[in-house]
Amino acid sequence: MKEYVGLTLKKALRAYLWILPFAIIGGITVGMYTYEHSAPDIIEAALEQLGSRQALFATTMIQALIYSLFAWVVGYFIVDRLGLMKSFRFEIPVLKKVCPVIIVLGLIFASDYFVMGKLIPEVAADYEKGISPAYFISSLTYGGVIEEILLRWFFMGLIAWILVMIFARKTDKKEIPDWIFIVANVIAALVFSAGHLPATQMFFGRITGLILFRCFLLNGMFALFFGRWFRKYGIQYAMLGHFGIHLISKVILMSIV
């Protein structure tokens, strides 16, 4: 057991080196994006507490490093135990399946500007600020990589593991019922959506029923695809999907707004 823990820990830390740049860049740009888009009174309160913009950026970077390292290492053990560990490489046959879906989802994501932007003044005002470099980079690095580690790799895996311990404790990992992963995926998608509510409150200054619906629709719907790809093909495809829809939607919006 001790040998397994030591070897798995080494593998997890070695693999995390590929994630480290995304955590650093994503953490800093999330702080920059938060500063740019949050309501003035919220930013003023944050600066009073932290002292400066640089301190805010450093704080979000440190948080991204801590969260992602913990979630990656713990998730590595969980995913291995569940039999969800896949080779960390992309394969052409799988890319041919997921890439067309990513393109469609990216177009749907971009349509938020035309639909919700017409219905919610705060959304329209946020889009009018444009796509800043910090917004663009943070959506690709933090959104595309770090959020997948937190919500799919760690949290979805944790929920699945808990369900296995309750309902399928003696089941071989190759025979774990599909419903366990489906339930875990749905719960992770809902939590992922709910996790955006504090940022939504910061950006818009309020949460209405329609804003709440938009938050769960945009984040939850796409998360279900990412969870399925994680389970079926590997976490790298969930990251690719998340990265891809942000890339496609942001490029479209930058040419319009």
Side-chain angles (χ1 to χ4, degrees):
M1 182 64 180
K2 184 182 294 187
E3 183 179 351
Y4 165 78
V5 172
L7 180 60
T8 304
L9 181 60
K10 288 180 181 179
K11 290 180 180 179
L13 293 175
R14 192 181 303 122
Y16 182 77
L17 293 177
W18 293 97
I19 298 164
L20 184 61
F22 292 95
I24 294 173
I25 297 172
I28 293 173
T29 52
V30 161
M32 296 170 67
Y33 169 60
T34 300
Y35 180 81
E36 293 171 350
H37 287 257
S38 296
D41 57 330
I42 295 177
I43 286 299
E44 183 179 350
L47 293 181
E48 286 181 1
Q49 183 176 4
L50 296 173
S52 67
R53 290 183 300 170
Q54 290 73 20
L56 172 64
F57 304 157
T59 299
T60 55
M61 181 193 70
I62 293 171
Q63 288 176 340
L65 287 170
I66 294 173
Y67 295 160
S68 63
L69 178 59
F70 172 82
W72 179 259
V73 172
V74 176
Y76 201 99
F77 283 92
I78 294 172
V79 169
D80 186 52
R81 288 291 189 177
L82 290 173
L84 294 179
M85 189 69 71
K86 305 288 194 303
S87 175
F88 297 114
R89 67 171 184 268
F90 292 102
E91 299 177 352
I92 298 299
V94 180
L95 289 174
K96 289 181 178 179
K97 293 180 181 179
V98 303
C99 285
V101 180
I102 292 172
I103 293 173
V104 173
L105 294 179
L107 294 174
I108 293 174
F109 200 36
S111 70
D112 179 62
Y113 169 77
F114 302 99
V115 180
M116 291 299 180
K118 303 296 183 182
L119 299 175
I120 306 174
E122 290 88 350
V123 172
D126 192 55
Y127 277 121
E128 287 174 2
K129 296 178 182 179
I131 308 295
S132 68
Y135 184 14
F136 184 74
I137 295 172
S138 66
S139 68
L140 300 180
T141 53
Y142 193 91
V145 177
I146 305 305
E147 285 185 350
E148 287 307 308
I149 292 173
L150 297 176
L151 272 300
R152 243 63 63 184
W153 183 257
F154 171 69
F155 189 73
M156 178 180 165
L158 178 62
I159 295 300
W161 180 77
I162 292 173
L163 292 174
V164 167
M165 291 297 101
I166 297 173
F167 299 104
R169 190 179 186 89
K170 297 182 180 180
T171 304
D172 184 90
K173 63 182 180 181
K174 295 181 180 179
E175 299 177 354
I176 296 174
D178 288 342
W179 72 264
I180 285 181
F181 296 110
I182 293 173
V183 171
N185 189 15
V186 171
I187 293 175
L190 291 173
V191 171
F192 178 68
S193 301
H196 284 75
L197 291 177
T200 300
Q201 174 69 40
M202 288 180 64
F203 295 154
F204 298 151
R206 64 170 185 154
I207 294 180
T208 65
L210 190 55
I211 290 175
L212 184 66
F213 171 77
R214 172 183 179 267
C215 181
F216 275 83
L217 176 65
L218 289 181
N219 297 296
M221 179 180 69
F222 300 119
L224 293 175
F225 284 91
F226 305 151
R228 175 173 171 77
W229 292 342
F230 159 49
R231 180 207 167 188
K232 193 170 182 180
Y233 306 123
I235 190 62
Q236 68 272 24
Y237 291 98
M239 292 177 176
L240 177 65
H242 205 148
F243 183 99
I245 67 166
H246 278 301
L247 178 63
I248 292 168
S249 62
K250 299 299 183 295
V251 168
I252 291 174
L253 292 172
M254 285 192 309
S255 66
I256 296 174
V257 179

